[in-house]
Amino acid sequence: MVVAGANVHDCKLLKQTIEAIVVERPEPTEKAPQNLCLDKGYDNPTGRAAAESHGHTPHIRRIGEEKLDETGHKRHKARRWVVERTLGWLSKCRGILVRYAKKACNYLGVIQLACGLLWFRRLHRLATF
């Protein structure tokens, strides 16, 4: 996770976000490249360069380009429910919804604690079935 001001565009934080990934990623090979799917907001040279510098193959839709099937119609809507669901879960934590922490490092710690609790609860729920 990366904490920044609300007026900073996401594409400027892409490099820091990739560097902040905790889970070790396998080395990209010819058979199994590391893909990174991004939306149209990252369609700029800095977004592509940040993805490629960390060994990812960027998949960024061009601005103004729509995904169409053979007949020229849209097939599926964009699937952003994973992000929206996670933000919905995090918004139930009062310390995150209203930012009480003045320092960015303290706020980042609260977010990491909340994410850890979410994963612990999810793991506990899956283990009880």
Side-chain angles (χ1 to χ4, degrees), residues 59-129:
H59 299 281
I60 305 172
R61 185 150 325 272
R62 297 273 181 203
I63 295 176
E65 178 186 353
E66 292 286 337
K67 185 172 183 178
L68 304 173
D69 61 3
E70 296 81 26
T71 62
H73 295 91
K74 285 177 140 181
R75 282 192 297 184
H76 304 288
K77 292 170 59 174
R79 288 176 264 174
R80 294 186 46 95
W81 64 271
V82 175
V83 175
E84 300 300 329
R85 175 200 66 193
T86 306
L87 292 175
W89 287 345
L90 288 174
S91 71
K92 293 183 176 141
C93 301
R94 197 173 80 194
I96 295 172
L97 184 61
V98 178
R99 184 174 171 175
Y100 293 110
K102 302 253 186 225
K103 294 183 181 179
C105 62
N106 293 343
Y107 186 62
L108 181 62
V110 171
I111 291 175
Q112 290 173 342
L113 179 64
C115 288
L117 285 172
L118 287 174
W119 279 108
F120 176 75
R121 289 176 187 157
R122 183 170 175 81
L123 181 65
H124 180 20
R125 235 181 316 165
L126 292 175
T128 58
F129 288 115

